[in-house]
Amino acid sequence: MRTIDNLQEVLQKHKKWLNGEEGGERANLRGADLQEANLRGADLREADLRGANLRGADLQEANLHESKNLDKQKYAPDLSILLNQNPNTKLYAFKFLNSDLTSPFQNFQYTIGQEYVFDDCNTDDFQECGTGGNVATLSWCLQNMNESSVLMKVSFKVKDIGCIPFSTDGKFRVKRFFTECLVDKDGSSK
């Protein structure tokens, strides 16, 4: 593994290269030790990441499209273990909502005890946010909700998972879910 002492400079030159600007250069991070690196929001499109160590790197909002030889299996998010279950296994996740059961992001109102189908679910695992049934782990919801938010538990089957983004911090998208109930902050039903 090679150490990259000037990572921010490499990223700036890569951005210039992507934009066709003078002084730009494609990022060569081949074999680089990027463990625990702050790559939040980095544009790594077409960067050479062959053999790079990305364990624990902050990849939130990073763009990894067309990165060269990125071993997605090796650096798959922890939630990807869900995809190894039987396709018909019933799973649970959470959404935090405003007190009137509207989403704080899409301004859509949910009803408990109803199934929702998302035909336009974005399945691009390099895109952190996208269309579809956006759900999350309980811990993600607790970290991101405010005092007036309520928690809703949803169920879905493994085969309904549309996308677990590569840089997820606990969010993922499903093609359909059923709204089970409102829950307390410990995840127990109200």
Side-chain angles (χ1 to χ4, degrees), residues 69-83:
N69 296 322
L70 177 64
D71 186 349
K72 287 171 55 177
Q73 289 302 103
K74 186 174 181 181
Y75 299 109
D78 291 341
L79 287 173
S80 66
I81 194 168
L82 299 176
L83 299 172

Side-chain angles (χ1 to χ4, degrees), residues 21-171:
E21 298 174 11
E22 189 175 318
E25 184 179 323
R26 178 184 288 186
N28 179 4
L29 299 171
R30 185 178 189 165
D33 184 3
L34 300 173
Q35 188 169 349
E36 305 292 329
N38 180 3
L39 296 171
R40 181 182 286 251
D43 191 345
L44 294 168
R45 287 176 294 148
E46 299 186 44
D48 187 348
L49 294 168
R50 287 178 281 187
N53 180 359
L54 294 167
R55 290 265 179 231
D58 183 352
L59 294 169
Q60 290 186 56
E61 300 174 20
N63 187 343
L64 298 165
H65 281 285
E66 300 174 28
S67 296
K68 302 298 180 198
N69 296 322
L70 177 64
D71 186 349
K72 287 171 55 177
Q73 289 302 103
K74 186 174 181 181
Y75 299 109
D78 291 341
L79 287 173
S80 66
I81 194 168
L82 299 176
L83 299 172
N84 296 330
Q85 309 304 312
N86 180 301
N88 290 311
T89 300
K90 185 176 183 179
L91 301 173
Y92 297 94
F94 300 89
K95 287 187 76 63
F96 72 83
L97 304 169
N98 297 320
S99 59
D100 64 355
L101 302 187
T102 57
S103 167
F105 305 107
Q106 293 91 16
N107 200 27
F108 179 83
Q109 188 166 30
Y110 291 93
T111 303
I112 301 298
Q114 186 170 330
E115 182 176 57
Y116 294 87
V117 177
F118 306 93
D119 293 325
D120 62 344
C121 184
N122 181 329
T123 59
D124 183 350
D125 57 2
F126 284 113
Q127 194 166 2
E128 186 177 354
C129 294
T131 57
N134 289 277
V135 297
T137 62
L138 179 59
S139 61
W140 185 90
C141 288
L142 293 174
Q143 289 172 7
N144 290 279
M145 61 191 280
N146 60 44
E147 285 299 316
S148 63
S149 299
V150 295
L151 277 169
M152 181 174 64
K153 182 178 180 180
V154 301
S155 63
F156 53 93
K157 293 184 178 177
V158 170
K159 66 184 177 186
D160 296 324
I161 296 173
C163 174
I164 298 175
F166 189 70
S167 60
T168 188
D169 56 352
K171 303 178 291 189

Side-chain angles (χ1 to χ4, degrees), residues 11-25:
L11 295 176
Q12 287 172 355
K13 285 183 178 180
H14 184 70
K15 186 174 183 175
K16 285 182 179 181
W17 178 79
L18 287 170
N19 293 329
E21 298 174 11
E22 189 175 318
E25 184 179 323

